[in-house]
Amino acid sequence: MAEKCSLKKEFTKGLLKENPVLRLVLGTCPTLATSTSMVNAIGMGIAATIVLVCSNIAISALRKVIPDKVRIPAYIVIIASFVTIVQMLVKAFVPALDAALGVFLPLIVVNCIILGRAEAFANKNPVIASAVDGLGMGIGFTAALFCMALVREFLGNGTLFSGAQSLLGVFGEDVLGGFNGVTILNTPMTIFILPAGGFFVFGVLIALANKISEKKKLPKAVLHGCESCPLASTCSKAVSESEDKKI
Amino acid sequence: MTPAQIFSVLLTAILTENFVLSKFLGICPFLGVSKKVNTAMGMSVAVIFVMLISTAVTYPINSFLTNHDLGYLQTIVCILVIAALVQLVEIVLKKYIKSLYNALGIYLPLITTNCAVLGVVLLNFDNGYSFGMSMVNTLGAGIGFMVAMLIFAGVRSRLETADIPESLKGLPSTLIAAALTSVSFLGFSGVVDGIFN
């Protein structure tokens, strides 16, 4: 029973308390770049979640085999292999998504969330807990992307779920039966689709998350020079220190 | 590769398709290390340095892979080569060029997982650039990163003394300032096409 409770905790912490995007501020690049449409956001979220769960399982299973000194390169190889598998699957079955995500699909390799979870969780915990942690974090990432894309697509393009057929690739026609998004606003504010809108919406979302966590007496989301980086333990936290010295 | 082509690619990479502000690559250092102008400068120089070396080394490797039908290994090979290269560069600099190591060394480990470096390498392959063009595009991307970092470091130093509502303090206000900086770069859209075509 106690084990079940702790698994549930591992799962839910990724959704709210330690949401990777809104609380830990990891994976900002794909968050900003792929949240222009809800379909892209869901696709990116699912791809990253699959890689995160698989790499967490593999790293956790190998945690006693990988020597401590070469663990980061070993993690990178494991993550890159899963990214390549996902990339090939997406190319084969959902080519429209592959075209929409472009270079950000292979860039899941350097997504800090995945390496961060490997370093912070999977190399210390058993396989099942790591898988659940990966799933929770992945869903938290997808949820944050989805919220951002909802706002950006609605205001910037005036649509919701535009291009939904392409997310399901070859099966789209059968499952969704003709549904391919709805148009709501006829004169959208294009700026929200543009990069500037991405930064703005992300800023406002983090401010909202801060406001909510303030009520719950949780600390604010902050991005330091180095501390938030998953590799902080491997490098000497030199940047933030040097910043202090120069004051 | 005519001079006009070179300038067109260079200016596109710096201004109209700025790596940070319009392609969203390298956001972590952009937000994290842009508090002071001198650290922003150090980071940018290190990024340009690593980007150029990575492009030079991965270009022949990638052509080997594509010639032998191993294109699917691109992601794995590139990230490993870049990670190994950064370590190697760090060791070499530490041993032989002490002054450069002191200036850039602390930023190097951070750059391995910086998506701007892998991003520029993969984008060069996707665009089918020749070796020379790849280097020009990489240089442009690096300079673009530097320009964005330096402008933003200036903006942030003004932000520190501003009166901001409590829940917007810190990261949210930084992101909104980044949005405004990004708007200013929108003004460059079409400039390169206008000059060269």
Side-chain angles (χ1 to χ4, degrees):
Chain A
M1 192 62 206
E3 201 171 68
K4 230 176 201 174
C5 281
S6 75
L7 280 186
K8 201 180 153 203
K9 219 177 87 196
E10 302 304 352
F11 181 71
T12 49
K13 73 165 190 267
L15 303 182
L16 298 167
K17 212 173 119 201
E18 288 182 29
N19 185 295
V21 178
L22 298 175
R23 306 282 314 144
L24 306 179
V25 205
L26 297 172
T28 37
C29 302
T31 308
L32 290 164
T34 60
S35 60
T36 47
S37 85
M38 289 160 86
V39 168
N40 286 355
I42 297 170
M44 181 71 197
I46 294 173
T49 307
I50 294 171
V51 174
L52 187 52
V53 173
C54 294
S55 65
N56 257 11
I57 292 173
I59 287 165
S60 168
L62 294 170
R63 69 186 188 279
K64 284 172 188 147
V65 184
I66 299 173
D68 204 39
K69 275 193 178 156
V70 292
R71 64 182 194 287
I72 299 287
Y75 298 162
I76 291 178
V77 177
I78 292 170
I79 295 167
S81 318
F82 285 116
V83 169
T84 307
I85 294 169
V86 168
Q87 207 183 338
M88 288 163 104
L89 289 174
V90 171
K91 265 199 183 114
F93 293 105
V94 208
L97 188 67
D98 178 60
L101 296 180
V103 75
F104 280 92
L105 202 53
L107 283 183
I108 297 176
V109 177
V110 283
N111 188 326
C112 330
I113 299 172
I114 294 165
L115 202 56
R117 286 331 284 172
E119 177 72 4
F121 196 91
N123 68 353
K124 299 184 193 82
N125 290 286
V127 176
I128 296 173
S130 301
V132 172
D133 172 80
L135 189 66
M137 285 287 166
I139 293 175
F141 175 62
T142 314
L145 268 177
F146 185 79
C147 291
M148 263 190 77
L150 179 77
V151 177
R152 285 183 74 187
E153 190 183 336
F154 179 68
L155 293 176
N157 203 21
T159 55
L160 290 176
F161 292 106
S162 152
Q165 299 260 348
S166 67
L167 182 64
L168 292 167
V170 284
F171 316 108
E173 197 95 321
D174 303 331
V175 180
L176 295 171
F179 175 78
N180 206 9
V182 282
T183 307
I184 294 169
L185 296 177
N186 286 323
T187 45
M189 294 174 267
T190 318
I191 187 96
F192 281 95
I193 288 284
L194 297 175
F199 282 116
F200 183 75
V201 174
F202 193 37
V204 173
L205 261 184
I206 289 195
L208 271 178
N210 277 351
K211 191 88 190 162
I212 294 166
S213 48
E214 208 174 278
K215 275 185 193 155
K216 291 191 174 170
K217 306 263 188 293
L218 290 168
K220 263 183 166 187
V222 275
L223 190 70
H224 301 285
C226 237
E227 282 102 280
S228 63
C229 168
L231 296 180
S233 61
T234 56
C235 74
S236 52
K237 292 193 181 172
V239 177
S240 49
E241 266 174 29
S242 72
E243 269 190 312
D244 290 340
K245 270 178 208 154
K246 275 168 194 157
I247 291 171
Chain B
M1 213 166 55
T2 60
Q5 265 178 322
I6 294 176
F7 271 106
S8 155
V9 168
L10 199 63
L11 283 181
T12 306
I14 298 174
L15 298 176
T16 47
E17 287 185 20
N18 188 285
F19 244 51
V20 180
L21 296 169
S22 79
K23 281 206 177 115
F24 294 129
L25 292 164
I27 300 288
C28 288
F30 177 66
L31 296 175
V33 204
S34 61
K35 243 182 190 158
K36 297 207 167 50
V37 175
N38 46 11
T39 39
M41 189 72 190
M43 184 72 186
S44 326
V45 174
V47 165
I48 296 177
F49 186 64
V50 172
M51 271 179 165
L52 283 174
I53 297 179
S54 306
T55 308
V57 173
T58 50
Y59 189 85
I61 294 175
N62 183 57
S63 16
F64 175 84
L65 287 179
T66 38
N67 288 343
H68 290 75
D69 256 352
L70 295 168
Y72 60 91
L73 285 176
Q74 203 184 55
T75 313
I76 303 183
V77 171
C78 282
I79 184 71
L80 276 183
V81 167
I82 292 171
L85 200 69
V86 172
Q87 293 290 319
L88 199 71
V89 168
E90 200 188 348
I91 294 168
V92 171
L93 287 186
K94 203 173 186 175
K95 182 96 170 73
Y96 296 107
I97 318 174
K98 207 73 192 181
S99 58
L100 197 59
Y101 177 77
N102 289 338
L104 306 182
I106 53 169
Y107 304 100
L108 286 175
L110 283 174
I111 293 170
T112 320
T113 53
N114 181 343
C115 54
V117 177
L118 186 61
V120 76
V121 166
L122 294 176
L123 281 173
N124 284 337
F125 299 157
D126 285 353
N127 290 341
Y129 285 143
S130 67
F131 182 77
M133 226 43 168
S134 293
M135 292 304 277
V136 171
N137 188 37
T138 305
L139 183 67
I143 295 175
F145 180 81
M146 187 159 144
V147 168
M149 283 282 270
L150 291 180
I151 292 178
F152 195 55
V155 172
R156 272 186 84 169
S157 63
R158 295 293 291 266
L159 211 59
E160 267 174 17
T161 52
D163 186 20
I164 301 167
E166 189 52 42
S167 46
L168 282 176
K169 261 183 195 155
L171 193 58
S173 63
T174 311
L175 281 163
I176 291 167
L180 295 176
T181 319
S182 174
V183 169
S184 72
F185 270 73
L186 279 181
F188 290 117
S189 61
V191 164
V192 178
D193 281 343
I195 297 174
F196 292 100
N197 300 329

